[in-house]
Amino acid sequence: MKKPKWVVQKEQDKKAEAAQTVWLFGLHAVRDALMNPNREKLQLMVTPNAQAKLEDAIAEAGITPQVVDPRKFRPPLDPNSVHQGAVLEVKPLNWGRLEDVAIGDSAPRLLLLDRVTDPHNVGAILRSAEVLGASAVIGTKHHSAPETGALAKTASGALERQPYLRVRNLADAIRALQDMGYLVLGLDGEATQTIEGAVEGRRDRPVALVLGAEGPGLREKTRETVDALVRIDAAGGFGSLNVSNAAAIALYASRVGG
């Protein structure tokens, strides 16, 4: 009996996902990946100068690098990538399921991204999430930035430590978090309620903050699913914030004991 098209497509997607690799670049991103025991490392290319700078991390990872003359160093990257003489091919990290990262701290904070596709923005968000103690950053499998070298470089090492999940359906993830007791707040510049106002008296509850792409903002389905729409309490008349800046401020505004 012939398999239905959707079954064939699902199997093909699974195979493609299993075969996927990422090229990380830059001394900082490569060092952090080499030092991460949970990161599956495939091949390392370095110039002699980069090899010397990464000597301890290379020894820790137990990987034999391919040392290349700087004049012949042509890794499989965008020519504009600032690689600093170090590139590492890896498998994407597996952080498990939503439930694995959403339960833990007494009052965890999560960031959910609704179609935020710019890897530089997501990298900066991961960095802020790590500094400000978020439990995870959650995007979608489609229409959100995947793990890339550019994302890792912007994250400045946070990609190796800060859980970054990509779920199939954001609305389903929001409902699952609500079932776990999360207060889910969607950021909207036109909202009447501030973040501080929404969490007042409820800072001991787990909170998830949902941010949309710059310009379009949250999708209608997302707006309908969250518990409330909130805005960042700020002086008016100066335009809007970059999404990565908004994520950092939102996390800070919702912090426990704030």
Side-chain angles (χ1 to χ4, degrees), residues 177-228:
L177 290 170
Q178 289 165 333
D179 289 343
M180 291 180 219
Y182 270 80
L183 174 65
V184 184
L185 305 174
L187 266 73
D188 184 329
E190 304 299 314
T192 55
Q193 187 174 204
T194 64
I195 297 169
E196 292 88 346
V199 299
E200 191 59 45
R202 298 190 280 185
R203 288 183 185 271
D204 59 340
R205 276 187 65 181
V207 174
L209 301 155
V210 192
L211 295 103
E214 289 172 51
L218 299 176
R219 286 174 295 162
E220 194 57 39
K221 182 71 172 174
T222 306
R223 294 165 64 89
E224 291 168 2
T225 313
V226 298
D227 293 308

Side-chain angles (χ1 to χ4, degrees), residues 25 81 89 158 215:
F25 59 86
S81 302
E89 187 184 18

Side-chain angles (χ1 to χ4, degrees), residues 68-159:
V68 185
D69 184 296
R71 291 164 297 185
K72 298 176 182 174
F73 195 81
R74 295 183 185 85
L77 301 173
D78 182 296
N80 297 318
S81 302
V82 183
H83 54 68
Q84 300 172 295
V87 297
L88 177 66
E89 187 184 18
V90 297
K91 299 290 280 184
L93 285 165
N94 180 7
W95 290 102
R97 304 166 303 157
L98 180 65
E99 295 81 0
D100 298 327
V101 296
I103 296 173
D105 296 338
S106 54
R109 297 294 184 262
L110 297 178
L111 287 173
L112 276 64
L113 308 180
D114 188 6
R115 297 199 174 201
V116 179
T117 57
D118 186 324
H120 299 95
N121 275 334
V122 176
I125 288 168
L126 286 168
R127 198 172 179 181
S128 296
E130 181 183 31
V131 170
L132 294 168
S135 294
V137 176
I138 296 157
T140 51
K141 282 195 180 292
H142 303 289
H143 309 296
S144 75
E147 274 192 45
T148 61
L151 187 154
K153 199 165 195 305
T154 309
S156 194
L159 180 62

Side-chain angles (χ1 to χ4, degrees), residues 42-45 58 61-67:
L42 303 175
Q43 59 175 317
L44 172 65
M45 293 171 60
I58 292 170
I63 191 170
T64 302
Q66 180 186 347
V67 185

